[in-house]
Amino acid sequence: MIFLIILITLIAIGVVLFLTWFFATKADGNCPICALKTFPPTKITIDTSKDEELVGGSKTPIMGWSSWNALRNRIDEDTIYDMAKAMVDTGLADAGYKYVNIDDCWHSSMRDENGMLQGDLESFPSGMAELGKKINSLGLKMGLYTSNGTLTCEDLPASLGHEEIDAKTFASWGAEYFKYDFCHNEKISGRTPIIEYIGISRKGEREFVKLTPDRAKYSGRARQIKVEDLPTKKGIAYLNHGAGKATFKLDVASGGEYVFTVHFKKLTSKKPTYMQIVVNGDINEVFFPPSNAFTSDARLQTLIKLNSGENIITLQNPVVTRADSSYIQYRRMGKALEDASRAWAIYTGEVQKPITYSICEWGTCKPWLWNGKVGNMWRTTHDIFAKWFSIYAIYKFTVRLYKYASPGHVNDPDMLEVGNGKLTLEENRSHFSLWCMMAAPLVLGNDLREIEKNGKGQDILDIVTNNELIRIDQDSLVKPAKKIDRLGSTDVLARPLSNGDVALCLFNTSKKNKHVEYDIEKLKDDKYLGISRLGNAQIKDLWTNDIFHSDTIKTDIPTHGVKVYRITCR
């Protein structure tokens, strides 16, 4: 009986809270039903079909080294340069490893007097531009890092809200890779206040035109409503959470930059709310500050370019889910990087250095679904560790995403842990092989200065410079391996290659050695591979370089081991 009373009480409290929220949301000019569509948060609801694909940098998965796995926050300019020299001295650069990616903790906790990021004043005293030149002098490329948040993961200044100036800074330093993390991210609000009207004027002049609610054409749930506590007694409502749009046509005599003054009804909120002013297809973002209701109305100004003649101006807030927010924020930086690298090349008269853009969103909002609309590579999971369970779990998840990759757009299962931790030689070899089969970036995370100073250094170097595996990873088709079969505890992976060959990997996932026999004629059954015939195929073992001709592969695979073959089908 007591349990029933408690249950009824909780339900009653829930109903009261829901109704209070529902009517308060409606009173704020927001659509309550639309606000309920925020689940699941990983689903992108924005129509991205009209967004242009960002070109970005490398068309094949990048190869290089990153400071994070081995060094964490213990970096300085001498250490980074020593790693770059080691990349050359060990032959890694000749094998294709070109990017020297400086992860978190390279920068000062202070922006400079111009609001620009700067290298740590003690550990990078020469500045990042100078370090970039030294790295370039070795025939290598510099990569940098911040976060899509208010701070980086190590609580240093980040780029959310500073995308344009930071992109210009990175381009001016000659960066050719940029990793954008997800720590301290702040989701864009799906809420939008009631818009009373927008006044438009030239800078330094009085308002010459008003975009009032009665002039708008509405779509979706958006509409004009009566608002007693606004001077004009009317406003545009229901723009929130993708509910609808208000569109205006405006003719101006001459194009150029105009002041848009947005007059709005204050919305009770502890966080900034949001709206997009889309002018002739270009998105201009405005953030309304959290408000104190001493007065009911307020104004916000922004500068927007208009064309001579007719302009189409749309007010909207397409943010429904966290995925929508992430898409907007990551695309904002991607566009800034592309514009900055192009503008810097024009300014200096030098050849443009496209910046390969890495979306390190941890796979939280399924960035592979955004594909080339945002960046060149996207993390599929949270961080990797030098533990077999971590490597295996990331492989199991990422191998399923094969269909989302293409030239210039790749799945990123995170940096290589080859040579780190207590991985066995077989596990190191398997780790590298699986990443190559998945067309993943090959970014080393070990201490390159120590690569030949310990007992397994040469073995590790031999693994990561295996030219045959690197050729598989760098194949221009950029079609990752698909898991096409499973033989007991052995995964069968295959990927098509640009010259018509097929790469085949047999991966023993168990803790026991396995004998495996595989009929390669089965490969013809999978349309993804595109094989028409296999008669008298040549098979090359890419770890032993043995070559043979057979219809069946018979082999023994050690625990957590792989066998990788290149099959010539003609």
Side-chain angles (χ1 to χ4, degrees):
M1 184 66 179
I2 294 176
F3 174 77
L4 184 60
I5 293 172
I6 293 173
L7 180 61
I8 293 172
T9 302
L10 290 174
I11 292 172
I13 292 171
V15 170
V16 170
L17 289 174
F18 173 77
L19 291 175
T20 301
W21 168 84
F22 184 92
F23 288 110
T25 300
K26 192 171 183 179
D28 277 335
N30 279 235
C31 166
I33 301 300
C34 307
L36 291 173
K37 297 178 181 179
T38 56
F39 297 98
T42 58
K43 180 182 179 182
I44 187 167
T45 69
I46 292 174
D47 180 8
T48 65
S49 61
K50 295 180 181 179
D51 290 344
E52 292 182 2
E53 186 174 287
L54 298 181
V55 177
S58 180
K59 295 302 177 187
T60 56
I62 68 162
M63 296 174 62
W65 173 85
S66 170
S67 61
W68 183 252
N69 285 359
L71 302 177
R72 293 293 197 264
N73 61 344
R74 300 178 301 279
I75 58 174
D76 56 53
E77 62 182 49
D78 293 334
T79 301
I80 296 299
Y81 185 60
D82 286 345
M83 289 293 183
K85 289 192 295 183
M87 190 180 291
V88 174
D89 294 342
T90 56
L92 287 165
D94 289 337
Y97 295 88
K98 299 295 185 182
Y99 290 84
V100 179
N101 297 339
I102 310 169
D103 212 282
D104 207 345
C105 300
W106 62 266
H107 51 318
S108 170
S109 62
M110 304 183 298
R111 288 178 177 265
D112 71 11
E113 63 275 12
N114 298 312
M116 298 170 67
L117 293 172
Q118 57 185 338
D120 185 280
L121 301 178
E122 281 191 348
S123 52
F124 291 86
S126 301
M128 305 311 291
E130 187 61 31
L131 179 56
K133 290 177 182 177
K134 291 177 67 177
I135 290 171
N136 291 163
S137 71
L138 298 173
L140 305 176
K141 304 178 181 183
M142 180 175 71
L144 291 171
Y145 161 104
T146 67
S147 183
N148 184 8
T150 55
L151 297 169
T152 70
C153 296
E154 291 294 308
D155 305 322
L156 291 166
S159 295
L160 185 62
H162 302 275
E163 292 86 358
E164 187 173 329
I165 189 172
D166 289 354
K168 289 178 179 178
T169 301
F170 302 146
S172 72
W173 291 344
E176 295 178 73
Y177 167 88
F178 175 65
K179 174 182 173 182
Y180 205 27
D181 220 330
F182 202 48
C183 289
H184 296 286
N185 177 262
E186 292 188 350
K187 177 182 176 292
I188 298 173
S189 174
R191 302 176 72 194
T192 301
I194 295 171
I195 306 301
E196 184 180 16
Y197 69 92
I198 296 179
I200 300 176
S201 63
R202 283 286 197 178
K203 198 171 184 180
E205 298 178 3
R206 289 283 188 176
E207 170 190 287
F208 76 89
V209 68
K210 288 184 179 181
L211 301 182
T212 53
D214 54 291
R215 293 183 57 180
K217 179 180 180 181
Y218 296 97
S219 61
R221 295 175 180 266
R223 60 180 181 266
Q224 176 180 320
I225 63 170
K226 291 183 179 180
V227 188
E228 291 300 327
D229 50 356
L230 287 179
T232 61
K233 306 299 182 185
K234 58 186 178 181
I236 298 169
Y238 280 29
L239 297 175
N240 67 297
H241 295 92
K245 302 177 183 180
T247 300
F248 302 86
K249 289 183 179 180
L250 175 65
D251 285 311
V252 295
S254 59
E257 194 171 66
Y258 285 79
V259 179
F260 276 52
T261 302
V262 183
H263 295 257
F264 63 97
K265 183 180 185 298
K266 288 182 178 179
L267 188 158
T268 304
S269 174
K270 294 181 179 180
K271 294 184 177 181
T273 52
Y274 180 72
M275 185 176 72
Q276 293 180 352
I277 304 175
V278 185
V279 180
N280 304 320
D282 292 331
I283 295 174
N284 302 271
E285 299 178 281
V286 292
F287 291 86
F288 302 92
S291 60
N292 292 311
F294 297 119
T295 57
S296 62
D297 61 323
R299 63 185 183 275
L300 178 149
Q301 291 184 327
T302 187
L303 297 174
I304 294 178
K305 291 182 179 179
L306 296 177
N307 296 333
S308 175
E310 184 180 79
N311 294 268
I312 305 299
I313 301 170
T314 299
L315 310 184
Q316 63 180 31
N317 182 348
V319 178
V320 179
T321 65
R322 172 167 280 280
D324 294 328
S325 172
S326 291
Y327 176 84
I328 290 170
Q329 291 170 334
Y330 275 98
R331 182 173 168 81
R332 188 194 303 156
M333 176 54 94
K335 186 70 165 60
L337 291 168
E338 196 163 272
D339 291 345
S341 66
R342 185 186 304 112
W344 185 252
I346 294 171
Y347 175 73
T348 60
E350 299 175 353
V351 176
Q352 182 181 355
K353 288 184 175 181
I355 300 172
T356 298
Y357 180 31
S358 171
I359 299 166
C360 186
E361 189 262 357
W362 316 327
T364 304
C365 295
K366 302 180 181 178
W368 46 89
L369 298 178
W370 316 341
N371 222 310
K373 302 290 185 175
V374 177
N376 300 114
M377 49 194 279
W378 46 82
R379 278 278 295 280
T380 57
T381 66
H382 282 268
D383 289 3
I384 195 170
F385 297 97
K387 302 285 186 181
W388 181 249
F389 77 85
S390 173
I391 294 165
Y392 179 58
I394 290 174
Y395 150 75
K396 280 186 67 178
F397 185 85
T398 306
V399 75
R400 300 180 300 170
L401 306 178
Y402 66 92
K403 64 182 178 181
Y404 297 107
S406 62
H409 312 296
V410 299
N411 297 310
D412 177 15
D414 206 1
M415 297 169 282
L416 290 164
E417 291 284 12
V418 177
N420 290 336
K422 297 181 180 179
L423 299 172
T424 67
L425 191 61
E426 284 298 333
E427 288 170 343
N428 278 308
R429 187 179 288 118
S430 294
H431 179 17
F432 186 74
S433 299
L434 294 171
W435 264 231
C436 289
M437 288 296 294
M438 293 189 295
L442 301 180
V443 180
L444 303 170
N446 54 331
D447 190 334
L448 304 183
R449 300 167 301 180
E450 301 294 324
I451 203 165
E452 292 180 316
K453 293 182 181 179
N454 56 53
K456 60 181 182 180
Q458 188 58 48
D459 290 335
I460 296 303
L461 189 60
D462 289 342
I463 290 173
V464 299
T465 56
N466 182 314
N467 182 59
E468 293 289 352
L469 265 296
I470 290 173
R471 284 179 61 207
I472 299 296
D473 178 78
Q474 295 291 298
D475 187 80
S476 60
L477 280 185
V478 193
K479 297 192 75 171
K482 176 184 177 183
K483 183 177 171 182
I484 60 171
D485 205 349
R486 185 167 172 85
L487 307 174
S489 58
T490 301
D491 286 354
V492 181
L493 312 174
R495 62 175 288 189
L497 302 174
S498 56
N499 70 340
D501 290 358
V502 170
L504 177 72
C505 176
L506 305 176
F507 172 36
N508 178 9
T509 64
S510 75
K511 296 181 179 180
K512 296 181 179 180
N513 298 340
K514 294 291 181 181
H515 177 76
V516 175
E517 296 187 8
Y518 185 74
D519 180 1
I520 65 171
E521 286 291 323
K522 292 182 179 180
L523 297 175
K524 293 194 300 185
D525 297 336
D526 198 295
K527 293 181 180 179
Y528 181 68
L529 301 178
I531 300 173
S532 57
R533 62 189 185 87
L534 269 170
N536 196 34
Q538 174 183 288
I539 303 172
K540 182 176 183 178
D541 186 319
L542 302 188
W543 281 112
T544 66
N545 289 320
D546 292 337
I547 296 175
F548 57 97
H549 294 78
S550 177
D551 293 331
T552 304
I553 294 174
K554 299 178 181 180
T555 188
D556 295 307
I557 310 175
T559 176
H560 297 170
V562 295
K563 289 296 179 75
V564 187
Y565 305 94
R566 188 178 188 115
I567 302 174
T568 302
C569 315
R570 56 190 185 282

